[in-house]
Amino acid sequence: MQLSSLLVTLFITLLPQALAETINYNFNIVNANLAPDGFSRSTVVVNGQFPGSLISANKGDTVNVLVQNNLTDPTMRRSTSIHWHGLFQARNAHNDGPAFVTQCPIAPNHTYTYGLNLGNQTGTYWYHSHLSSQYLDGLRGPIVNPEDPNLGLYDVDDESTLIILGDWFHTPAPELEAQYKLATNTASVEELPQSGTINGVGRTSTDPQPARPTFTVNSGQRYRYRIINTSAIARFTFQIQGHSLTIIEVDGVATAPLAVDNLIIHPGQRYSVVVQANQPVDNYWIRAPMTARAVPPVPPNWATDSNNVNAVLHYVGAAGAEPTSEIPAISGTPLVESNLVPLTDPAAPGSPFPGGVDKVFNLTFKTGEDPVTGHGWRVNDVQYIPPTTPTLLKILSGAHDPSDFGTNENTLIINRGDTVEVNIFGPRDHPWHLHGHTFSVVKGASGVTNYVNPPRRDVTPSNGNGGITIRFTADNPGPWVLHCHIDMHFEAGLAVVFAEAPTEVVSGPDSVDPGDDWDALCPIYNALPLDEQ
């Protein structure tokens, strides 16, 4: 190789590191009266808005998020913590955010700065409260790294092409949790939000009707839409009338382009799709009907209009109005998850046969009643109940064997470098999310088994009696929770925690050093009266 070529190659390799920045954000966590679907209620939000402020950063950047907890409403949790969904947090587990796994909550009238290092990650992520079911009350928002190997496939990718889906409740989360734990038939409590929202706007069947969100396009341009399901419960079926969706990214993982007409997106999942503005100048329906249960028994007088989750794709030059056509039914070619292929390193870890890994975990989950905890969920007959001392603090204090953790913590030990297979059996449509990693979906909801080039992501749904199989490599020491992303189910115990390489967390090149501000979180929180926790 000529010296000039070598220097160009070296420059390109080092350019992201050379241009890496430190970016600072201020998150003022407040109670604000908002009406996303026409019904006004007190909320828990970032900087007074729903969804919360966009975090945008590039590969290698360090993002510092100063969280100021100014919550005062006693009908909702007043402490908080924030999870940065999809970020690996290498050597940074203390900033992952799940309360009582990696930290104690941030008390009211206190602050904490999350330091987030994006490393080599690019793509679409999001953040949300990870204390109890607090994010039902509004603390959710997007994270975007615009660098992309598929850059040549689209022309526009900015804040105007974010499509943030969500479900919305009129009842504060603590009240819903209390009802859920007391219920024997939970259909009317846990899985029926009042509305579905697109970029913070929804409609019920009874409240004032806010204007639908509008996404404006110019003919001939190609748009990268980043679709994020920030729901606590609901999944959506997404479609744009008359336009194909070419998927190029899944949960932060660049994928081989795959054209579909519609896709189902579960809580926590993200898709980037390229849409070509190649239709006659007009207005077109963007559809995202919401499903909150496999068989929804809607209670009498419930305001939910799950089919009325729509927006408008507006071509420049068309009339400034909603489409004149009827809202179309979902139709055409749907996404089948097993057809997604990662662009790089597509093979699943381990050997290409069942159990061809270092560690295999078989997890069976189900629901049931408990005389003490009420209605709950269990994995291998254990209901996860968060410890009062965070798992990470226990590890830093010397815990490294299963006996060092309570039965209720459902903690599984894995070693650095282990290839790990997790087989999950239970009812369908429970979206399983793993912190600290992406995983290969060796067998997903479609039932197809693939070791060669399976989808890789960080949320995938269960498929009923057949079970699903995921694999990952234990290359990121820390305590990482695997849980159902139906938030009420996680709160009711549907989780396990992988204590990954606990001795390496304490010392060595992959050790975690939280610092004094993190150390102070637990004493401050533990001194709070119950109504401020």
Side-chain angles (χ1 to χ4, degrees):
M1 181 182 289
Q2 293 183 348
L3 179 60
S4 58
S5 298
L6 180 62
L7 289 174
V8 169
T9 302
L10 181 62
F11 175 75
I12 293 174
T13 302
L14 295 178
L15 186 59
Q17 287 78 14
L19 298 180
E21 298 181 73
T22 297
I23 305 171
N24 299 314
Y25 288 89
N26 290 320
F27 276 17
N28 186 18
I29 312 300
V30 296
N31 299 118
N33 288 318
L34 301 176
D37 59 7
F39 176 88
S40 182
R41 57 155 292 190
S42 180
T43 63
V44 176
V45 289
V46 174
N47 299 333
Q49 65 189 62
F50 171 76
S53 305
L54 168 67
I55 289 179
S56 182
N58 294 314
K59 186 187 297 184
D61 284 350
T62 297
V63 176
N64 295 318
V65 184
L66 172 61
V67 174
Q68 304 173 75
N69 182 355
N70 289 307
L71 297 173
T72 58
D73 190 330
T75 68
M76 293 175 285
R77 292 296 295 260
R78 291 190 56 199
S79 294
T80 194
S81 70
I82 300 178
H83 171 52
W84 316 91
H85 184 122
L87 299 186
F88 295 154
Q89 305 286 24
R91 297 198 64 196
N92 199 33
H94 55 289
N95 283 319
D96 189 45
F100 305 110
V101 178
T102 62
Q103 68 170 92
C104 281
I106 305 165
N109 301 313
H110 286 80
T111 66
Y112 179 73
T113 298
Y114 289 95
L116 313 174
N117 191 325
L118 270 65
N120 290 320
Q121 289 187 266
T122 63
T124 309
Y125 307 92
W126 65 297
Y127 60 84
H128 59 85
S129 169
H130 218 303
L131 171 63
S132 189
S133 293
Q134 189 180 55
Y135 91 78
L136 272 75
D137 293 321
L139 206 171
R140 345 173 186 173
I143 305 173
V144 169
N145 180 339
E147 297 180 61
D148 183 60
N150 283 316
L151 189 63
L153 298 181
Y154 52 88
D155 306 303
V156 182
D157 173 29
D158 55 28
E159 194 164 355
S160 73
T161 58
L162 279 172
I163 299 179
I164 304 170
L165 306 177
D167 50 14
W168 192 249
F169 296 79
H170 294 176
T171 304
E175 185 176 338
L176 287 175
E177 290 171 21
Q179 293 175 16
Y180 179 71
K181 290 177 180 179
L182 291 173
T184 54
N185 179 356
T186 61
S188 65
V189 177
E190 59 157 319
E191 294 178 302
L192 285 172
Q194 273 67 41
S195 63
T197 62
I198 300 177
N199 288 2
V201 178
R203 292 187 175 188
T204 72
S205 58
T206 58
D207 296 294
Q209 305 286 288
R212 301 186 198 273
T214 297
F215 298 83
T216 301
V217 297
N218 285 284
S219 291
Q221 294 285 289
R222 302 165 300 171
Y223 293 81
R224 176 183 182 157
Y225 288 105
R226 297 174 184 266
I227 310 165
I228 308 172
N229 185 352
T230 68
S231 287
I233 286 172
R235 61 190 183 274
F236 297 85
T237 304
F238 184 87
Q239 176 176 284
I240 301 180
Q241 180 185 20
H243 294 74
S244 175
L245 313 173
T246 300
I247 300 169
I248 61 170
E249 178 227 343
V250 178
D251 295 358
V253 177
T255 64
L258 177 66
V260 300
D261 293 309
N262 59 74
L263 57 86
I264 293 176
I265 181 167
H266 290 264
Q269 291 185 328
R270 294 89 65 208
Y271 289 99
S272 281
V273 301
V274 175
V275 175
Q276 296 191 36
N278 57 6
Q279 297 299 303
V281 171
D282 207 341
N283 296 304
Y284 297 85
W285 288 109
I286 297 175
R287 302 229 48 222
M290 175 177 68
T291 303
R293 289 184 66 86
V295 183
V298 181
N301 303 318
W302 202 263
T304 300
D305 188 353
S306 61
N307 205 42
N308 194 5
V309 189
N310 303 298
V312 176
L313 185 74
H314 168 72
Y315 277 69
V316 171
E322 291 187 357
T324 56
S325 62
E326 291 187 5
I327 297 177
I330 299 295
S331 62
T333 303
L335 168 66
V336 177
E337 185 188 54
S338 57
N339 291 336
L340 296 166
V341 177
L343 270 185
T344 59
D345 302 322
S351 300
F353 54 83
V357 294
D358 298 312
K359 293 275 180 70
V360 177
F361 297 95
N362 295 315
L363 307 180
T364 299
F365 68 96
K366 60 184 178 181
T367 186
E369 311 300 321
D370 184 275
V372 177
T373 60
H375 183 81
W377 287 86
R378 289 159 181 78
V379 178
N380 293 351
D381 293 321
V382 176
Q383 182 180 16
Y384 175 77
I385 299 174
T388 55
T389 299
T391 304
L392 178 57
L393 181 54
K394 288 187 175 185
I395 291 172
L396 291 171
S397 302
H400 60 274
D401 290 321
S403 59
D404 295 328
F405 304 94
T407 302
N408 62 288
E409 297 174 59
N410 226 353
T411 300
L412 309 172
I413 309 296
I414 53 179
N415 300 317
R416 181 155 178 60
D418 279 348
T419 51
V420 180
E421 178 176 295
V422 186
N423 300 302
I424 303 174
F425 304 93
R428 68 185 178 96
D429 292 324
H430 290 257
W432 285 89
H433 170 51
L434 176 62
H435 290 220
H437 294 274
T438 53
F439 47 72
S440 295
V441 186
V442 170
K443 185 176 78 168
S446 69
V448 174
T449 298
N450 179 2
Y451 298 100
V452 177
N453 56 0
R456 189 166 66 245
R457 61 188 320 162
D458 60 45
V459 181
T460 197
S462 57
N463 74 343
N465 293 331
I468 62 171
T469 299
I470 63 174
R471 284 186 178 184
F472 65 96
T473 299
D475 55 7
N476 189 16
W480 308 115
V481 60
L482 170 68
H483 65 92
C484 176
H485 221 292
I486 294 175
D487 210 40
M488 205 72 74
H489 295 180
F490 175 45
E491 173 65 12
L494 196 44
V496 300
V497 175
F498 286 106
E500 183 174 334
T503 57
E504 281 88 339
V505 171
V506 178
S507 63
D510 294 315
S511 61
V512 173
D513 183 13
D516 293 342
D517 290 345
W518 184 89
D519 291 341
L521 289 172
C522 286
I524 294 172
Y525 177 81
N526 291 336
L528 291 174
L530 286 177
D531 61 353
E532 294 185 22
Q533 290 185 359

